[in-house]
Amino acid sequence: FVAAMVAILSTAIGFVIGLVAGFLRGVDSVVMRIMDGLMSIPSLLLAIALMALTGASVRNVILAIVVAETPRVARLIRGVVLSLRDQLYVDAAIASGTRTHMIILRHIVPNAVAPLIVQGTYIFAAAMTIEAALSFIGAGTPSSTPSWGNIMSEGKALFQLHPQFVLIPALFLSLTILSVNIVGDALRDAIDPRLARSV
């Protein structure tokens, strides 16, 4: 649930920020400097700092990881928008007097959705990792909420006698993250077959 909500919110917010920054030159430098500042802090450390300020709850975990992951989406979409703005069909639309919002809806958004979906799968996997780490150190979801991080945190006291209490949830977490990344790679190859042929 945490990973899904983080992926949805991060991609949605990052998409809007990247779209605005890429298409409106006036706000680009200011917005992207803020995004660069957030990206300069490792996601886990930023999430820990935000959790220390807000307290442990599922909602706060989601918000903390969204703040940490949104800048990456914004930078990706900004790059896509900047490359699309130089295309001839966009120049033709501008020359023909098409309004800015129609250019964005007809030409920019459809071409930016594919990389956004792929990035969303990677954010999904990253969010699971960060949530598990936060829960493991006691800064994530409350201990009453079942999560792999909480299970590993409770099992570490018995690790010498029963290592499976830590190893089994860690194994399932790793397999889930690997599965999500494989899905992301498959989506990338399906969306752009040229990447699959070049590998």
Side-chain angles (χ1 to χ4, degrees):
F1 174 75
V2 169
M5 292 303 298
V6 167
I8 292 169
L9 292 174
S10 295
T11 52
I13 297 170
F15 183 78
V16 173
I17 294 173
L19 197 63
V20 171
F23 213 84
L24 301 178
R25 296 185 186 274
V27 299
D28 181 27
S29 59
V30 175
V31 170
M32 293 318 296
R33 294 303 73 78
I34 296 172
M35 296 296 106
D36 290 342
L38 291 174
M39 284 182 66
S40 67
I41 306 171
S43 298
L44 182 58
L45 291 181
L46 181 58
I48 290 172
L50 293 173
M51 290 304 299
L53 292 173
T54 57
S57 71
V58 173
R59 184 189 59 143
N60 291 340
V61 168
I62 292 171
L63 292 177
I65 304 175
V66 165
V67 171
E69 293 297 325
T70 296
R72 289 162 179 76
V73 181
R75 179 155 283 284
L76 170 71
I77 297 302
R78 174 185 174 269
V80 171
V81 171
L82 289 177
S83 65
L84 292 173
R85 284 184 57 183
D86 295 332
Q87 299 297 319
L88 292 176
Y89 57 85
V90 175
D91 291 337
I94 294 172
S96 65
T98 305
R99 295 183 178 179
T100 301
H101 71 278
M102 292 306 298
I103 294 174
I104 292 173
L105 290 176
R106 288 181 183 174
H107 301 297
I108 305 297
V109 171
N111 290 300
V113 167
L116 183 70
I117 293 172
V118 175
Q119 184 67 21
T121 61
Y122 297 133
I123 290 175
F124 191 99
M128 283 194 291
T129 305
I130 295 172
E131 185 277 327
L134 289 173
S135 297
F136 184 77
I137 64 175
T141 55
S143 58
S144 59
T145 303
S147 77
W148 282 316
N150 283 333
I151 293 171
M152 287 186 284
S153 179
E154 293 176 1
K156 68 184 178 183
L158 301 172
F159 183 75
Q160 291 184 341
L161 295 175
H162 300 284
Q164 68 271 19
F165 290 169
V166 175
L167 296 179
I168 291 176
L171 175 64
F172 277 101
L173 176 63
S174 300
L175 290 175
T176 305
I177 292 171
L178 177 63
S179 301
V180 172
N181 283 329
I182 290 173
V183 170
D185 288 339
L187 280 174
R188 182 197 62 192
D189 295 343
I191 290 169
D192 192 349
R194 293 173 297 178
L195 293 175
R197 287 196 298 267
S198 64
V199 172

PDB file of all heavy atoms in Angstrom, residues 44 47-49 51 61 64-65 129-141 149-150:
ATOM      1  N   LEU A  44      16.848   7.980   1.751  1.00  0.00           N
ATOM      2  CA  LEU A  44      16.621   7.400   3.076  1.00  0.00           C
ATOM      3  C   LEU A  44      16.886   8.412   4.179  1.00  0.00           C
ATOM      4  O   LEU A  44      16.105   8.517   5.137  1.00  0.00           O
ATOM      5  CB  LEU A  44      17.497   6.159   3.264  1.00  0.00           C
ATOM      6  CG  LEU A  44      17.320   5.410   4.591  1.00  0.00           C
ATOM      7  CD1 LEU A  44      15.879   4.967   4.779  1.00  0.00           C
ATOM      8  CD2 LEU A  44      18.267   4.212   4.654  1.00  0.00           C
ATOM      9  N   ALA A  47      14.074  10.923   4.248  1.00  0.00           N
ATOM     10  CA  ALA A  47      12.874  10.315   4.828  1.00  0.00           C
ATOM     11  C   ALA A  47      13.002  10.184   6.344  1.00  0.00           C
ATOM     12  O   ALA A  47      12.048  10.437   7.080  1.00  0.00           O
ATOM     13  CB  ALA A  47      12.619   8.949   4.192  1.00  0.00           C
ATOM     14  N   ILE A  48      14.192   9.810   6.836  1.00  0.00           N
ATOM     15  CA  ILE A  48      14.403   9.702   8.282  1.00  0.00           C
ATOM     16  C   ILE A  48      14.228  11.058   8.948  1.00  0.00           C
ATOM     17  O   ILE A  48      13.591  11.174  10.010  1.00  0.00           O
ATOM     18  CB  ILE A  48      15.807   9.120   8.581  1.00  0.00           C
ATOM     19  CG1 ILE A  48      15.863   7.648   8.183  1.00  0.00           C
ATOM     20  CG2 ILE A  48      16.160   9.278  10.054  1.00  0.00           C
ATOM     21  CD1 ILE A  48      17.253   7.046   8.266  1.00  0.00           C
ATOM     22  N   ALA A  49      14.796  12.101   8.330  1.00  0.00           N
ATOM     23  CA  ALA A  49      14.668  13.445   8.903  1.00  0.00           C
ATOM     24  C   ALA A  49      13.217  13.889   8.952  1.00  0.00           C
ATOM     25  O   ALA A  49      12.751  14.448   9.960  1.00  0.00           O
ATOM     26  CB  ALA A  49      15.499  14.433   8.083  1.00  0.00           C
ATOM     27  N   MET A  51      10.566  11.927   9.024  1.00  0.00           N
ATOM     28  CA  MET A  51       9.853  11.114  10.003  1.00  0.00           C
ATOM     29  C   MET A  51      10.141  11.581  11.420  1.00  0.00           C
ATOM     30  O   MET A  51       9.283  11.519  12.298  1.00  0.00           O
ATOM     31  CB  MET A  51      10.227   9.637   9.840  1.00  0.00           C
ATOM     32  CG  MET A  51       9.693   8.992   8.573  1.00  0.00           C
ATOM     33  SD  MET A  51       7.907   9.124   8.406  1.00  0.00           S
ATOM     34  CE  MET A  51       7.359   8.247   9.856  1.00  0.00           C
ATOM     35  N   VAL A  61       4.856   8.211   6.646  1.00  0.00           N
ATOM     36  CA  VAL A  61       5.834   7.457   5.853  1.00  0.00           C
ATOM     37  C   VAL A  61       5.619   7.731   4.372  1.00  0.00           C
ATOM     38  O   VAL A  61       6.570   7.978   3.615  1.00  0.00           O
ATOM     39  CB  VAL A  61       5.737   5.950   6.150  1.00  0.00           C
ATOM     40  CG1 VAL A  61       6.539   5.140   5.131  1.00  0.00           C
ATOM     41  CG2 VAL A  61       6.232   5.647   7.554  1.00  0.00           C
ATOM     42  N   ALA A  64       6.749  11.292   3.549  1.00  0.00           N
ATOM     43  CA  ALA A  64       8.202  11.438   3.608  1.00  0.00           C
ATOM     44  C   ALA A  64       8.868  10.854   2.368  1.00  0.00           C
ATOM     45  O   ALA A  64       9.777  11.467   1.780  1.00  0.00           O
ATOM     46  CB  ALA A  64       8.743  10.762   4.864  1.00  0.00           C
ATOM     47  N   ILE A  65       8.409   9.683   1.931  1.00  0.00           N
ATOM     48  CA  ILE A  65       9.013   9.056   0.751  1.00  0.00           C
ATOM     49  C   ILE A  65       8.619   9.805  -0.517  1.00  0.00           C
ATOM     50  O   ILE A  65       9.420   9.918  -1.458  1.00  0.00           O
ATOM     51  CB  ILE A  65       8.634   7.564   0.672  1.00  0.00           C
ATOM     52  CG1 ILE A  65       9.041   6.841   1.958  1.00  0.00           C
ATOM     53  CG2 ILE A  65       9.309   6.897  -0.527  1.00  0.00           C
ATOM     54  CD1 ILE A  65       8.599   5.386   2.022  1.00  0.00           C
ATOM     55  N   THR A 129      11.767  -0.431  -0.369  1.00  0.00           N
ATOM     56  CA  THR A 129      13.052  -0.508   0.312  1.00  0.00           C
ATOM     57  C   THR A 129      13.147   0.527   1.432  1.00  0.00           C
ATOM     58  O   THR A 129      13.562   0.213   2.558  1.00  0.00           O
ATOM     59  CB  THR A 129      14.199  -0.281  -0.688  1.00  0.00           C
ATOM     60  OG1 THR A 129      14.069  -1.207  -1.761  1.00  0.00           O
ATOM     61  CG2 THR A 129      15.543  -0.456  -0.023  1.00  0.00           C
ATOM     62  N   ILE A 130      12.751   1.771   1.125  1.00  0.00           N
ATOM     63  CA  ILE A 130      12.845   2.842   2.121  1.00  0.00           C
ATOM     64  C   ILE A 130      11.887   2.583   3.277  1.00  0.00           C
ATOM     65  O   ILE A 130      12.242   2.769   4.446  1.00  0.00           O
ATOM     66  CB  ILE A 130      12.571   4.207   1.462  1.00  0.00           C
ATOM     67  CG1 ILE A 130      13.663   4.526   0.438  1.00  0.00           C
ATOM     68  CG2 ILE A 130      12.493   5.308   2.512  1.00  0.00           C
ATOM     69  CD1 ILE A 130      13.373   5.755  -0.394  1.00  0.00           C
ATOM     70  N   GLU A 131      10.672   2.135   2.969  1.00  0.00           N
ATOM     71  CA  GLU A 131       9.696   1.863   4.032  1.00  0.00           C
ATOM     72  C   GLU A 131      10.196   0.760   4.945  1.00  0.00           C
ATOM     73  O   GLU A 131      10.072   0.837   6.180  1.00  0.00           O
ATOM     74  CB  GLU A 131       8.350   1.465   3.410  1.00  0.00           C
ATOM     75  CG  GLU A 131       7.224   1.284   4.430  1.00  0.00           C
ATOM     76  CD  GLU A 131       7.219  -0.082   5.093  1.00  0.00           C
ATOM     77  OE1 GLU A 131       7.592  -1.067   4.433  1.00  0.00           O
ATOM     78  OE2 GLU A 131       6.863  -0.150   6.293  1.00  0.00           O
ATOM     79  N   ALA A 132      10.781  -0.297   4.363  1.00  0.00           N
ATOM     80  CA  ALA A 132      11.300  -1.396   5.179  1.00  0.00           C
ATOM     81  C   ALA A 132      12.452  -0.917   6.062  1.00  0.00           C
ATOM     82  O   ALA A 132      12.548  -1.294   7.234  1.00  0.00           O
ATOM     83  CB  ALA A 132      11.755  -2.538   4.278  1.00  0.00           C
ATOM     84  N   ALA A 133      13.315  -0.073   5.498  1.00  0.00           N
ATOM     85  CA  ALA A 133      14.445   0.443   6.290  1.00  0.00           C
ATOM     86  C   ALA A 133      13.950   1.328   7.427  1.00  0.00           C
ATOM     87  O   ALA A 133      14.445   1.230   8.564  1.00  0.00           O
ATOM     88  CB  ALA A 133      15.388   1.225   5.377  1.00  0.00           C
ATOM     89  N   LEU A 134      12.982   2.192   7.137  1.00  0.00           N
ATOM     90  CA  LEU A 134      12.432   3.057   8.182  1.00  0.00           C
ATOM     91  C   LEU A 134      11.780   2.233   9.289  1.00  0.00           C
ATOM     92  O   LEU A 134      11.960   2.503  10.481  1.00  0.00           O
ATOM     93  CB  LEU A 134      11.414   4.029   7.581  1.00  0.00           C
ATOM     94  CG  LEU A 134      11.947   5.153   6.692  1.00  0.00           C
ATOM     95  CD1 LEU A 134      10.794   5.907   6.049  1.00  0.00           C
ATOM     96  CD2 LEU A 134      12.828   6.107   7.490  1.00  0.00           C
ATOM     97  N   SER A 135      11.004   1.233   8.903  1.00  0.00           N
ATOM     98  CA  SER A 135      10.333   0.399   9.900  1.00  0.00           C
ATOM     99  C   SER A 135      11.340  -0.417  10.699  1.00  0.00           C
ATOM    100  O   SER A 135      11.163  -0.643  11.898  1.00  0.00           O
ATOM    101  CB  SER A 135       9.332  -0.536   9.208  1.00  0.00           C
ATOM    102  OG  SER A 135       8.320   0.204   8.566  1.00  0.00           O
ATOM    103  N   PHE A 136      12.400  -0.850  10.049  1.00  0.00           N
ATOM    104  CA  PHE A 136      13.408  -1.663  10.723  1.00  0.00           C
ATOM    105  C   PHE A 136      14.106  -0.888  11.845  1.00  0.00           C
ATOM    106  O   PHE A 136      14.397  -1.435  12.909  1.00  0.00           O
ATOM    107  CB  PHE A 136      14.448  -2.161   9.717  1.00  0.00           C
ATOM    108  CG  PHE A 136      15.481  -3.080  10.311  1.00  0.00           C
ATOM    109  CD1 PHE A 136      15.175  -4.406  10.577  1.00  0.00           C
ATOM    110  CD2 PHE A 136      16.746  -2.615  10.603  1.00  0.00           C
ATOM    111  CE1 PHE A 136      16.122  -5.250  11.134  1.00  0.00           C
ATOM    112  CE2 PHE A 136      17.698  -3.448  11.159  1.00  0.00           C
ATOM    113  CZ  PHE A 136      17.384  -4.775  11.421  1.00  0.00           C
ATOM    114  N   ILE A 137      14.350   0.404  11.611  1.00  0.00           N
ATOM    115  CA  ILE A 137      15.029   1.209  12.642  1.00  0.00           C
ATOM    116  C   ILE A 137      14.038   1.875  13.590  1.00  0.00           C
ATOM    117  O   ILE A 137      14.435   2.641  14.468  1.00  0.00           O
ATOM    118  CB  ILE A 137      15.940   2.278  12.001  1.00  0.00           C
ATOM    119  CG1 ILE A 137      15.117   3.291  11.192  1.00  0.00           C
ATOM    120  CG2 ILE A 137      17.007   1.632  11.145  1.00  0.00           C
ATOM    121  CD1 ILE A 137      15.947   4.438  10.636  1.00  0.00           C
ATOM    122  N   GLY A 138      12.739   1.605  13.397  1.00  0.00           N
ATOM    123  CA  GLY A 138      11.729   2.134  14.303  1.00  0.00           C
ATOM    124  C   GLY A 138      11.234   3.522  13.971  1.00  0.00           C
ATOM    125  O   GLY A 138      10.567   4.159  14.789  1.00  0.00           O
ATOM    126  N   ALA A 139      11.556   4.011  12.765  1.00  0.00           N
ATOM    127  CA  ALA A 139      11.132   5.352  12.372  1.00  0.00           C
ATOM    128  C   ALA A 139      10.052   5.331  11.301  1.00  0.00           C
ATOM    129  O   ALA A 139       9.709   6.372  10.752  1.00  0.00           O
ATOM    130  CB  ALA A 139      12.338   6.151  11.845  1.00  0.00           C
ATOM    131  N   GLY A 140       9.523   4.156  11.003  1.00  0.00           N
ATOM    132  CA  GLY A 140       8.547   4.037   9.926  1.00  0.00           C
ATOM    133  C   GLY A 140       7.141   3.820  10.438  1.00  0.00           C
ATOM    134  O   GLY A 140       6.677   4.513  11.346  1.00  0.00           O
ATOM    135  N   THR A 141       6.478   2.817   9.869  1.00  0.00           N
ATOM    136  CA  THR A 141       5.109   2.521  10.277  1.00  0.00           C
ATOM    137  C   THR A 141       5.094   1.997  11.706  1.00  0.00           C
ATOM    138  O   THR A 141       6.075   1.387  12.158  1.00  0.00           O
ATOM    139  CB  THR A 141       4.495   1.464   9.332  1.00  0.00           C
ATOM    140  OG1 THR A 141       5.339   0.312   9.310  1.00  0.00           O
ATOM    141  CG2 THR A 141       4.347   2.000   7.924  1.00  0.00           C
ATOM    142  N   GLY A 149       9.572  -4.668   7.188  1.00  0.00           N
ATOM    143  CA  GLY A 149      10.529  -3.964   8.034  1.00  0.00           C
ATOM    144  C   GLY A 149      10.251  -4.191   9.511  1.00  0.00           C
ATOM    145  O   GLY A 149      11.174  -4.425  10.305  1.00  0.00           O
ATOM    146  N   ASN A 150       8.972  -4.131   9.906  1.00  0.00           N
ATOM    147  CA  ASN A 150       8.613  -4.369  11.307  1.00  0.00           C
ATOM    148  C   ASN A 150       8.880  -5.821  11.714  1.00  0.00           C
ATOM    149  O   ASN A 150       9.317  -6.092  12.838  1.00  0.00           O
ATOM    150  CB  ASN A 150       7.140  -4.027  11.543  1.00  0.00           C
ATOM    151  CG  ASN A 150       6.910  -2.530  11.630  1.00  0.00           C
ATOM    152  OD1 ASN A 150       7.801  -1.778  12.006  1.00  0.00           O
ATOM    153  ND2 ASN A 150       5.718  -2.088  11.278  1.00  0.00           N
TER     154      ASN A 150
END
